[in-house]
Amino acid sequence: MRILVTGASGWIGSASVKELLSAGHHVLGLARSDESAARLAKQGVQVVRGSLDDLASLRAAAALAEGVVHLGYNHDFTQMAAAARTDRAAIDAFADVLQGTGGPLLIASGTLGLAPGHVGTEDSMPSADVHPRIANAAYTLGLAERGIRSMVVRFPPTVHGAGGDHGFVAVLARIAREKGVSGYIGDGRNRWPAVNRLDAGKLVQLAIDSATPGSVLHAVAEEGIAAHDIAAALGEFIGVPVESIPADQARAHFDWLGMFFAADAPASSVRTRALLGWEPTHETLMEDIAAGEYPGR
């Protein structure tokens, strides 16, 4: 199948592209810059120039494909509403092209805020107040009524791995090194789910191959790791003490991450594994931390 991938040169996108190619798909990668185009071409991807802000380029790119994996997104937390509007417009552009074809349209969402204090499942439906992007996921699922094999893959807040993760754990490591203490908030019992980026890429490929219209899938390998344990592992590797940070000091210590790191957000992938036969096989978060993937530099 000819699959267009947005965010194809990104952290999850590059792993997904590798799996799609290995499964025999012809992958087209949306590239905004010459640098991204060169990386994609080196992987054996057909480069299509365009950007999420250019709807004409998205429609033209989708017209060359039989399905779309939409992983590109602007994660600037200072522009969340604007980013969600751009995302919705992109989804609409892809839907206009894929309508009535039965082709797959896979978009990314998240598990954070899914069921605070409880284990979130694929059936859990978060409030739109959690993040402006949530409404886009609900909208995409409804596209099944327009003859599109629509699906939403929810990724945990920690998608880790070797070779350049710049996400939440990398930020925690940098803060620990800069401040000389590896912190957690309160008692540190709150739980974070996680997945290795290579396992996440495999799930994307399996979803494109066999997920049914309107599917919600969880790319979760570890249901919930205690924040204290994450901080302890980082502290051990970096060589700094591990300490509790009072909740009222979290923003000062962790900066923007303070509003997220206290969340108790475990998530299950039991149904996803049963539906797709997905079994994570790559390193766990603790294994990656111990291996030095998060030195805080």
Side-chain angles (χ1 to χ4, degrees):
M1 193 183 309
R2 296 172 64 85
I3 302 294
L4 171 68
V5 181
T6 71
S9 62
W11 183 240
I12 300 173
S14 57
S16 301
V17 163
K18 181 179 179 181
E19 293 293 343
L20 289 167
L21 290 170
S22 295
H25 296 290
H26 179 92
V27 178
L28 300 87
L30 189 73
R32 183 175 55 183
S33 68
D34 292 341
E35 181 182 0
S36 293
R39 286 202 301 268
L40 293 175
K42 189 174 181 179
Q43 283 186 273
V45 173
Q46 179 182 339
V47 176
V48 182
R49 298 304 292 259
S51 74
L52 298 183
D53 298 312
D54 182 351
L55 298 181
S57 72
L58 298 185
R59 292 189 183 93
L64 298 173
E66 299 165 90
V68 175
V69 171
H70 177 40
L71 301 176
Y73 196 81
N74 177 8
H75 291 282
D76 184 347
F77 291 109
T78 68
Q79 302 182 53
M80 291 195 296
R85 287 194 297 270
T86 298
D87 186 54
R88 170 61 182 268
I91 293 168
D92 273 331
F94 297 138
D96 288 345
V97 175
L98 293 174
Q99 180 168 323
T101 67
L105 172 58
L106 181 155
I107 75 155
S109 188
T111 64
L112 191 60
L114 189 60
H118 304 279
V119 177
T121 71
E122 293 85 346
D123 285 334
S124 301
M125 288 297 167
S127 165
D129 294 335
V130 171
H131 192 288
R133 190 181 186 185
I134 295 297
N136 294 348
Y139 173 74
T140 298
L141 295 176
L143 293 174
E145 298 178 359
R146 292 172 57 184
I148 299 170
R149 187 159 59 91
S150 59
M151 62 197 83
V152 171
V153 177
R154 293 174 178 157
F155 296 95
T158 294
V159 181
H160 59 89
D165 179 11
H166 298 291
F168 286 177
V169 176
V171 174
L172 287 173
R174 176 180 55 76
I175 293 171
R177 187 171 291 280
E178 289 176 353
K179 302 209 170 187
V181 57
S182 183
Y184 56 91
I185 300 172
D187 61 13
R189 294 181 183 177
N190 58 296
R191 298 155 291 175
W192 277 51
V195 68
N196 191 291
R197 63 182 288 266
L198 301 179
D199 290 317
K202 181 63 178 179
L203 176 57
V204 169
Q205 175 255 307
L206 290 172
I208 285 296
D209 283 352
S210 59
T212 55
S215 293
V216 175
L217 305 165
H218 279 193
V220 174
E222 297 179 88
E223 184 175 288
I225 308 165
H228 172 276
D229 294 343
I230 296 172
L234 290 170
E236 180 177 355
F237 182 83
I238 295 170
V240 296
V242 180
E243 294 182 9
S244 171
I245 307 299
D248 62 358
Q249 298 175 27
R251 184 61 186 259
H253 185 90
F254 293 104
D255 197 17
W256 59 268
L257 189 55
M259 72 177 77
F260 299 107
F261 195 41
D264 186 35
S268 166
S269 60
V270 171
R271 177 175 294 184
T272 296
R273 296 182 193 220
L275 287 173
L276 300 181
W278 177 64
E279 286 299 331
T281 60
H282 292 90
E283 289 80 5
T284 65
L285 175 59
M286 293 304 185
E287 288 170 341
D288 274 340
I289 292 174
E293 297 298 339
Y294 297 92
R297 296 189 180 92

